[in-house]
């Protein structure tokens, strides 16, 4: 069976890169088709995540010029993870497998062949894993690695050095659609799906144009999302911290009593004030952690839609695909 491959690309203000990305991806698809790795029905699907620049008009133009390009427009900016999900859920009935990748060609497109080979060997999920992080700034590298370590410590199963460059089969996508959570962290959800999976290693290049849409603030928010969506360990940690502090305060009390009885009544204003500050701070921290989880429950309970599609542009008169 020659699979129909869809490449889903979320785009937020990517007008500088999309023309080149389309050229590279179309070229790669043509070569893969020649090698019998993907069928002629394979497509590139750009998901415009509420861009404020000319990304959507550009996607429209690309879609008109190339029959293999489709465009999906979200009603507003919903963030990378939701845009990706919107794309994957829209195409899941039409493709045999879908690869998600960023618009900026940082992920090596040559490994697409390797992805498909693994898929044909029977893998339902293939993770793209970065060989090294040499092209990142030292800051991004260390924060990202710290993030994986923390996730691991907290017991969430995430693939080390894997971003959202991955292939999923149709049935894996079907399974993904069963996960209804609003607080979306795909890297944590996909490993939960199961099925046979494998890894493909690649080198990540630098973004060739435009700038990163993940500034530090978004990166921290994303890491917090991952941690609080996949681990309740922080809640356990604060309980333990509470117990520890209670035990310590018993000793403190004993010490105070003994000093009082032995007549060394402490002038100890500093100690009192500093412990008030310390405990106040800790309490606020603990409240904050608990509050974060409650906030998540709140948004899950409301179950608002994760994305709203404004427009879906695709080639006219789609060929009836042979379902095999
Ligand atoms: N992106 C998106 N919505 C957003 C932010 C980013 O769809 O709100 C897309 C962006 O267009 C790109 C991908 O997510 O295709 C990854 O973003 P970027 O390359 O800026 O992140 P970095 O590689 O710097 O982590
Ligand atoms: Mg990038």
């Amino acid at each position: 069976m020659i699979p129909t491959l869809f490449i889903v690309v979320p785009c937020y203000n990517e007008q500088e890169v999309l023309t080149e990305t389309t050229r590279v991806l179309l070229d790669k698809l043509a070569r893969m088709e020649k090698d019998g790795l993907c069928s002629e029905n394979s497509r590139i699907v750009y998901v415009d995540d509420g861009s404020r620049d000319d990304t959507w008009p550009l996607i429209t133009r690309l879609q008109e010029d190339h029959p293999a390009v489709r465009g999906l427009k979200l009603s507003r900016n919903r963030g990378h993870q939701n845009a990706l999900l919107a794309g994957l859920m829209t195409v899941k009935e039409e493709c045999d497998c879908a690869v998600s990748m960023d618009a900026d060609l940082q992920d090596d497109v040559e490994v697409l062949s390797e992805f498909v080979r693994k898929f044909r060997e029977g893998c339902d999920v293939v993770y793209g894993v970065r060989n090294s992080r040499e092209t990142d700034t030292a800051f991004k590298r260390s924060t990202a690695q710290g993030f994986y370590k923390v996730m691991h410590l907290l017991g969430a199963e995430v693939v080390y050095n894997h971003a959202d460059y991955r292939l999923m089969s149709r049935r894996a996508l079907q399974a993904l659609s069963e996960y209804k959570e609003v607080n979306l962290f795909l890297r944590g959800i996909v490993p939960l799906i199961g099925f046979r999976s494998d890894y493909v290693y690649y080198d990540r290049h630098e973004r060739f144009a435009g700038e990163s849409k993940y500034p530090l603030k978004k990166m921290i928010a994303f890491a917090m999302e991952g941690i609080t969506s996949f681990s309740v360990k922080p809640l356990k940690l604060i309980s333990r911290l509470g117990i520890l502090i209670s035990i310590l305060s018993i000793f403190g009390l004993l010490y105070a009593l003994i000093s009082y009885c032995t007549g060394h009544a402490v002038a100890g204003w500093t100690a009192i004030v500093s412990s008030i500050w310390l405990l106040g701070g800790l309490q606020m921290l603990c409240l904050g952690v608990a509050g974060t989880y409650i906030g998540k429950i709140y948004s899950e309970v409301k179950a608002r839609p994760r994305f709203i599609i404004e427009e879906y542009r695709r080639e006219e008169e789609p060929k009836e695909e042979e379902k095999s």
Side-chain angles (χ1 to χ4, degrees), residues 40 54 61 84 87 100 104 121 124 126 135 138 145 149-150 156 169 199 213 218 228 236 274 284 314:
E40 55 172 18
D54 283 334
R61 220 159 39 240
L84 200 53
S100 47
D104 52 13
E121 283 165 18
D124 280 276
V126 187
T135 52
Q145 263 154 7
K149 296 222 171 84
V150 171
S169 68
Y199 308 97
K213 301 334 180 253
K218 268 200 195 172
T228 51
K236 290 190 185 141
S274 50
M284 262 149 86
R314 43 180 293 170

Side-chain angles (χ1 to χ4, degrees), residues 9-14 47 49 77-80 83 101-104 106 140 204 207 211-214 218:
V9 186
C11 313
Y12 178 60
N13 296 346
E14 298 285 10
V47 184
D49 184 20
N77 181 250
R78 296 291 292 128
H80 176 218
M101 69 183 292
D102 291 354
D104 52 13
Q106 279 187 292
K140 183 142 189 169
R204 193 165 155 123
R207 183 179 250 280
E211 54 191 36
S212 173
K213 301 334 180 253
Y214 266 102
K218 268 200 195 172

Side-chain angles (χ1 to χ4, degrees), residues 1-7 29 37-43 70 91 94-99 116 119 167-168 170 321-324:
M1 177 197 73
I2 297 179
T4 298
L5 168 71
F6 274 41
I7 304 173
L29 276 183
L37 281 174
C38 69
S39 81
E40 55 172 18
N41 296 325
S42 300
R43 297 283 179 269
R70 291 183 182 182
V91 303
E94 288 179 85
C95 59
D96 297 310
C97 55
V99 170
V116 174
F119 168 70
L167 175 141
M168 293 178 79
R170 187 196 289 207
E321 275 130 320
E322 285 167 37
K323 305 268 192 290
S324 51

Side-chain angles (χ1 to χ4, degrees), residues 113-138:
S113 317
E114 201 52 39
F115 274 134
V116 174
R117 266 187 217 110
K118 300 257 184 200
F119 168 70
R120 291 173 81 176
E121 283 165 18
C123 291
D124 280 276
V125 183
V126 187
Y127 300 98
V129 176
R130 301 171 63 170
N131 277 328
S132 71
R133 287 184 161 261
E134 273 157 31
T135 52
D136 275 349
T137 58

